[in-house]
Amino acid sequence: MANWVTGKVTDITNWTDSLFSIKVHAPIEKFTAGQFAKLSLEIDGQRIQRAYSYVNSPDDHNLEFYLVTVPEGKLSPQLAELKTGDELFVTEHAAGFFVLEEIPDCQTLWMIATGTGIGPYLSILQQGDDLERFENIVLVHAARWGQDLSYLPMMQQLEQKFQGKLRIQTIVSREKQPNSLIGRVPALIESGKLESAVGLTMLAENSHIMLCGNPQMVRDTQQLLKEQRNMTKHLRRRPGHMTCEQYW
Ligand SMILES: Cc1cc2nc3c(=O)[nH]c(=O)nc-3n(C[C@H](O)[C@H](O)[C@H](O)COP(=O)(O)OP(=O)(O)OC[C@H]3O[C@@H](n4cnc5c(N)ncnc54)[C@H](O)[C@@H]3O)c2cc1C
């Protein structure tokens, strides 16, 4: 049984009609960058809980979550209605294995996200620990529209901070956007366009691929990397090249 603590909303940013970030103060135990909490509200006498990844560094006590409102969803539309000062429940202990200590050493670490799946990578990169093991890191954020790239300014700041070690690439599927690739993640890997844009190769001998977000993207990309690049899923008992977190 999870232990719950009461959190207080300190800030809400509405990025678009459906994307928002919520900041919370809550007396949680320290988490590891890449992990998720469960958030919960009492709705019609029932406690509804869902998983949400931390965006903030574990060193930052302003807990931050990046959410999309799922139409007809039970919890996300209610979370979208919260205002500063409102209360919600947060699990005291975070969970999940989408963390750097599960990632083997490699030359290039690819962090690929769709939508709100960018959160765990921002937490890892803002903390900045244990990154010497990788010569290059590539942060890829894919979304439908340019306006959905809510954390682009933070991605750009991180790119500057890491001085050449971190490269960022955005992908937009439904419109042309300056500096973004257009299309879907698996197709852009298959055609070699993602690697050309970034200037690095994605090969089993030099890369590890983290995939987070939309389950269809995660499945299709894994399948492609397996077939075209001879990559395998990374397991503790059988090291491989791909580590994934699916959001639904
Ligand atoms: C490990 C983990 C971490 C997660 N982190 C985040 C996060 O950081 N931010 C975030 O927004 N969500 C995240 N999610 C998804 C989140 O837990 C909920 O599933 C989501 O908010 C929908 O909940 P709901 O109650 O509103 O909808 P529900 O009533 O549970 O779902 C209705 C249906 O909507 C679909 N759906 C669920 N999530 C999405 C989605 N994100 N986009 C489109 N369709 C969806 C599913 O088909 C689902 O059956 C994460 C999930 C997991 C497993």
Side-chain angles (χ1 to χ4, degrees):
M1 277 276 285
N3 274 345
W4 294 90
V5 295
T6 302
K8 199 165 236 185
V9 176
T10 57
D11 193 45
I12 305 261
T13 305
N14 289 301
W15 304 103
T16 66
D17 286 351
S18 59
L19 288 167
F20 63 101
S21 293
I22 180 165
K23 285 191 181 163
V24 175
H25 277 174
I28 58 156
E29 290 296 320
K30 192 159 181 177
F31 65 93
T32 303
Q35 285 191 309
F36 61 89
K38 284 193 174 166
L39 300 182
S40 162
L41 290 174
E42 187 129 352
I43 302 169
D44 299 331
Q46 250 196 317
R47 283 281 285 269
I48 308 293
Q49 48 171 290
R50 299 283 184 266
Y52 297 98
S53 302
Y54 283 107
V55 175
N56 59 294
S57 159
D59 304 324
D60 181 350
H61 295 293
N62 293 300
L63 309 180
E64 182 172 351
F65 304 94
Y66 178 39
L67 274 78
V68 62
T69 310
V70 174
E72 319 292 328
K74 269 198 176 154
L75 186 62
S76 57
Q78 305 290 326
L79 291 171
E81 293 294 315
L82 291 175
K83 303 274 177 280
T84 303
D86 285 350
E87 290 187 341
L88 75 174
F89 303 104
V90 185
T91 42
E92 185 177 23
H93 297 274
F97 299 98
F98 199 66
V99 295
L100 275 190
E101 52 193 78
E102 298 291 330
I103 306 295
D105 293 356
C106 63
Q107 199 177 329
T108 303
L109 177 61
W110 295 80
M111 298 175 155
I112 302 180
T114 56
T116 54
I118 190 79
Y121 304 134
L122 296 176
S123 181
I124 291 169
L125 291 168
Q126 287 188 96
Q127 184 177 43
D129 288 357
D130 195 26
L131 298 173
E132 321 73 53
R133 302 192 283 124
F134 314 104
E135 194 177 313
N136 311 294
I137 301 169
V138 185
L139 177 61
V140 179
H141 192 196
R144 287 185 183 165
W145 306 99
Q147 65 169 10
D148 299 339
L149 300 168
S150 318
Y151 284 89
L152 183 56
M154 186 186 284
M155 290 170 68
Q156 288 165 335
Q157 277 168 20
L158 287 164
E159 188 177 42
Q160 289 217 326
K161 175 177 143 187
F162 285 105
Q163 297 178 341
K165 186 190 188 84
L166 174 69
R167 303 181 193 198
I168 61 169
Q169 180 63 53
T170 52
I171 298 176
V172 172
S173 60
R174 303 214 174 159
E175 63 179 343
K176 275 199 175 157
Q177 183 78 9
N179 303 320
S180 283
L181 291 168
I182 183 157
R184 293 184 61 242
V185 171
L188 291 166
I189 295 175
E190 187 171 20
S191 65
K193 285 185 183 161
L194 177 59
E195 289 155 286
S196 304
V198 168
L200 292 167
T201 55
M202 190 187 285
L203 303 170
E205 50 273 30
N206 66 13
S207 293
H208 192 91
I209 325 297
M210 297 177 83
L211 298 167
C212 186
N214 182 315
Q216 190 72 46
M217 180 283 285
V218 172
R219 276 194 300 271
D220 292 352
T221 307
Q222 278 190 98
Q223 187 66 24
L224 172 83
L225 292 173
K226 194 171 146 206
E227 287 168 8
Q228 199 194 52
R229 310 288 170 108
N230 222 5
M231 293 190 184
T232 55
K233 213 168 165 171
H234 180 70
L235 302 170
R236 279 187 191 165
R237 60 187 153 80
R238 188 161 35 84
H241 318 91
M242 301 182 279
T243 301
C244 307
E245 182 99 291
Q246 295 192 13
Y247 272 7
W248 70 94

